[in-house]
Amino acid sequence: MTAARVGTYQLVLSDGLVHGDAQFFRLLGLPLDTRPNTDPNQSTSQSTVSLEAFQQQLNHDDRYQLQNALDAIRHNHSKAFELCFRIPSDAGKTIPVLDRGRVFREDGRLLIAGALVDLTGFVAPVQQFQHLTSHDPLTGLLSRHGIWRLVEQAHQQTHETKRECAIALLDVDHLKDINDMHGPTLGDRVLSALAERLHERLRPKNITIGRWGGDEFLAVAADTDEAALVQEIDGARQMLAEKPLNIDGQDISVTLSAGVTSARRLMDSTEQALARADVALYRAKKDGYNRVYGGSTGAGTDNRTLSLAILVQDAVRTARVTPVFQPVVRLRDRQPVAEEAFSRIMENGSRLLNASAFIEVALQLKLLHRIDHMLFEAAMERIAYPPSNSAFPPRDRQSRPIFVHVSEDLIQHPATLNDMINALDGATLPEPLPLVLVLNEQTATEHKKMVADTLKPLLDLGCKLSVSGYGTRGHSLQLLHQDLPINFLSIDPFLVQKALESDRARSVIAELQQSARGLGITTIAKQVQNPATLNLAIELGLDWGQGYLLGVPTDPSWPLSARSDSG
């Protein structure tokens, strides 16, 4: 194996540890015995390194493609992978390395057994290596990195030649339903067959398509305007809708939605052009799926959405999301007992946008998980270094619970969750940990297995769990008796408002309160804006309350990037 320059390893995803032989460590340029090997199932000839340290040996693009591959494995979308990396060497050069692995599940652990192959000196595989580093292994299309590089080149040419180019963002409609019905393995095969059909349809039109991630594809056409690309993409959409995909003799009907925009504007960045395509895609899906919209379609009603998309992208990219903290009070004596973190984004240098103004756009742009991550870090910092102007007495400032939201988007990004777990595991915070993760009722109900699995490491580290908007989905009490260790329950504010005039709604809340109290769950009334709502919440026996009548959000803290810089 040493003569062949092959290093073997076993990655334990559940532990975040990589056990490798000596050649594996030599290829990575890491010292042996980086961490003692405590796994009794491994031979003493192997050493151990953290997955994070392994990733740090790779450049940004290679880390990104590895993370995508690991995410697919965690979601049970992939049983094997084949990736190529460039690893820096002491001589100042890079070593081309092929990484092949297979997935196993043993004793409840998720394992990858694989090998790194040093391709230095191989003449024939060079072109294959270059292909692998820029192409998606599932579909054979350009990878996210490969297609984005092509988009940037085409956009740059528009600046130099004054000719137009256009880009399209395509999204498979309801792929989750296919996965739920037939399993993720068939979902992968659907994506592969769909990619092949799109490639065959668009290639003769000089349109290049790549896999943008998950069930999204990105297409670029040089010397083409928006209207022409809309026509071509819509032709592909119709072709797909009229002829189902055939997988092992089974017809699978698939449709797609797309947003198209021109990238001719000289003052635009490539990211802004992509934001316009994303907004157009968002409208296509909102209007019923299976349609293609251009960036100018309905432009009169879309300027605000477009500006929000660009604003959110810029705020997340530069970490300029501002946290605010609103107090939660104990209803019986109006004393503050907790806080809830909310996100704000500065617009035009002076106006703070509430989360309700941009959350939907952030979700469409698949950026909500990053906003959740920023608020989580802000809550950790507030626990570690409580502000002197807090409404809490000094002795309580580190122990009061802080509620932070966990969106469905975050649940579906295990890499981000893993970053949160590592940060919390390495932090010095008070015990018991006053950090509460907030799920909405729909996410907790529809994804209870995924939620239980993905949040378990955070709960094991001491986080508590809250469910918000309870009662929205018919107030099924079954959720309270499931395996999720729910500590807090915020009642749907619309149900509370309805109880002001409906005896039936009052009875529903009374039933919820009785069940929660019997299970040791604290109930919270949200959006308490007037005395009538407050008196009703107290009368119904709810424990805590939040709303502008009880306490307004704190003055905005410095944006996260500025706070980090200032220490």
Side-chain angles (χ1 to χ4, degrees):
M1 300 291 282
T2 302
R5 299 197 299 276
V6 175
T8 62
Y9 67 88
Q10 178 175 285
L11 166 58
V12 186
L13 270 176
S14 54
D15 299 337
L17 298 177
V18 188
H19 309 285
D21 62 12
Q23 181 64 10
F24 172 81
F25 278 80
R26 290 192 194 100
L27 284 172
L28 288 176
L30 290 172
L32 289 173
D33 300 319
T34 303
R35 181 182 296 190
N37 184 5
T38 58
D39 190 336
N41 297 318
Q42 300 299 320
S43 67
T44 56
S45 62
Q46 288 192 320
S47 296
T48 301
V49 66
S50 69
L51 176 59
E52 182 181 4
F54 172 43
Q55 291 174 310
Q56 289 303 315
Q57 298 302 107
L58 310 178
N59 63 37
H60 177 270
D61 292 333
D62 289 343
R63 283 199 300 271
Y64 184 85
Q65 66 164 334
L66 174 62
Q67 197 60 65
N68 280 345
L70 296 181
D71 286 350
I73 289 169
R74 289 186 179 100
H75 284 103
N76 202 27
H77 292 166
S78 180
K79 302 295 184 184
F81 69 90
E82 183 177 88
L83 303 172
C84 284
F85 304 134
R86 297 177 180 86
I87 299 176
S89 70
D90 293 337
K93 299 180 180 180
T94 57
I95 302 173
V97 173
L98 173 65
D99 184 1
R100 282 189 175 134
R102 296 203 54 165
V103 182
F104 301 90
R105 285 175 170 79
E106 295 178 357
D107 301 326
R109 299 189 305 169
L110 186 59
L111 312 174
I112 300 173
L116 298 184
V117 183
D118 183 353
L119 297 180
T120 302
F122 283 71
V123 178
V126 168
Q127 290 183 338
Q128 296 177 6
F129 176 81
Q130 293 173 340
H131 177 87
L132 283 171
T133 57
S134 60
H135 285 71
D136 174 56
L138 175 65
T139 63
L141 299 177
L142 285 171
S143 63
R144 183 184 182 101
H145 172 66
I147 189 64
W148 184 244
R149 185 167 52 190
L150 200 61
V151 169
E152 289 184 317
Q153 291 172 355
H155 195 199
Q156 181 60 35
Q157 288 174 0
T158 67
H159 290 220
E160 297 170 353
T161 65
K162 304 300 187 288
R163 295 178 179 176
E164 294 189 55
C165 79
I167 60 175
L169 196 59
L170 301 82
D171 194 7
V172 182
D173 296 331
H174 310 301
L175 183 65
K176 179 182 179 297
D177 294 341
I178 296 175
N179 284 333
D180 290 344
M181 184 178 300
H182 303 286
T185 302
L186 184 68
D188 277 357
R189 299 182 67 185
V190 166
L191 280 176
S192 182
L194 171 63
E196 182 179 0
R197 188 176 290 187
L198 289 173
H199 179 65
E200 291 176 352
R201 169 82 187 201
L202 299 175
R203 181 178 55 180
K205 307 293 185 179
N206 293 322
I207 301 170
T208 305
I209 187 167
R211 189 179 181 195
W212 189 238
D215 55 0
E216 283 190 332
F217 299 88
L218 186 63
V220 57
D223 295 328
T224 302
D225 61 17
E226 178 184 302
L229 187 55
V230 165
Q231 184 176 356
E232 295 297 343
I233 298 296
D234 194 54
R237 178 200 62 80
Q238 293 179 32
M239 171 268 298
L240 187 65
E242 293 168 359
K243 186 179 180 181
L245 300 173
N246 189 277
I247 311 292
D248 292 339
Q250 181 179 6
D251 286 341
I252 306 292
S253 296
V254 179
T255 62
L256 60 81
S257 302
V260 183
T261 190
S262 169
R264 69 179 182 275
R265 305 179 189 181
L266 300 183
M267 297 304 293
D268 276 358
S269 67
T270 315
E271 289 80 5
Q272 288 172 325
L274 179 64
R276 287 199 303 275
D278 221 333
V279 168
L281 170 62
Y282 167 70
R283 288 203 321 274
K285 292 194 291 188
K286 189 175 182 180
D287 287 353
Y289 297 93
N290 192 24
R291 59 197 69 209
V292 179
Y293 279 0
S296 58
T297 306
T301 60
D302 189 53
N303 288 338
R304 179 57 178 164
T305 305
L306 176 59
S307 64
L308 278 175
I310 296 173
L311 183 67
V312 170
Q313 282 185 327
D314 182 67
V316 171
R317 185 177 66 251
T318 58
R320 304 292 293 181
V321 175
T322 301
V324 297
F325 297 87
Q326 186 171 13
V328 179
V329 306
R330 189 169 47 227
L331 290 178
R332 71 170 184 264
D333 57 11
R334 305 280 191 91
Q335 291 300 307
V337 289
E339 292 181 311
E340 185 167 0
F342 296 101
S343 56
R344 300 287 187 266
I345 290 179
M346 186 72 72
E347 184 179 31
N348 298 326
S350 58
R351 180 189 177 200
L352 274 178
L353 289 180
N354 288 343
S356 58
F358 59 81
I359 285 297
E360 190 173 3
V361 171
L363 181 59
Q364 168 60 26
L365 295 173
K366 295 180 171 60
L367 295 175
L368 187 53
H369 67 285
R370 295 180 60 182
I371 294 177
D372 290 347
H373 187 189
M374 291 178 187
L375 285 185
F376 183 86
E377 291 181 325
M380 284 180 55
E381 183 176 341
R382 193 170 176 88
I383 292 170
Y385 306 103
S388 58
N389 60 349
S390 168
F392 298 89
R395 66 180 182 277
D396 296 334
R397 287 174 186 169
Q398 278 195 318
S399 61
R400 83 274 186 245
I402 296 184
F403 290 74
V404 289
H405 287 258
V406 175
S407 65
E408 181 179 341
D409 188 41
L410 179 59
I411 294 294
Q412 295 175 347
H413 283 80
T416 303
L417 274 167
N418 195 52
D419 289 342
M420 294 164 55
I421 293 165
N422 290 336
L424 188 59
D425 193 23
T428 302
L429 297 174
E431 295 183 5
L433 181 66
L435 197 57
V436 183
L437 309 177
V438 183
L439 289 167
N440 66 42
E441 184 187 11
Q442 181 175 351
T443 300
T445 303
E446 293 184 357
H447 307 285
K448 51 183 178 291
K449 180 63 168 63
M450 181 186 294
V451 165
D453 291 343
T454 55
L455 293 188
K456 186 178 185 302
L458 287 169
L459 300 179
D460 288 345
L461 288 170
C463 291
K464 304 296 189 296
L465 189 62
S466 174
V467 174
S468 68
Y470 196 72
T472 308
R473 303 175 63 82
H475 100 278
S476 171
L477 294 176
Q478 181 182 1
L479 178 62
L480 300 183
H481 299 281
Q482 291 173 351
D483 293 334
L484 285 176
I486 299 172
N487 305 99
F488 300 92
L489 200 67
S490 66
I491 310 301
D492 175 27
F494 297 103
L495 181 62
V496 175
Q497 289 300 313
K498 192 173 181 179
L500 288 171
E501 53 190 34
S502 167
D503 291 339
R504 181 170 184 145
R506 292 167 66 94
S507 297
V508 168
I509 296 176
E511 181 184 12
L512 289 177
Q513 173 62 24
Q514 182 179 1
S515 298
R517 182 159 293 169
L519 294 169
I521 297 173
T522 301
T523 53
I524 306 173
K526 304 294 286 289
Q527 298 183 21
V528 179
Q529 316 288 43
N530 53 65
T533 304
L534 173 61
N535 292 334
L536 175 66
I538 295 174
E539 179 185 336
L540 292 172
L542 300 183
D543 301 308
W544 294 357
Q546 183 189 58
Y548 276 76
L549 182 69
L550 302 173
V552 299
T554 61
D555 289 336
S557 304
W558 287 102
L560 299 185
S561 60
R563 292 164 66 234
S564 298
D565 292 342
S566 64

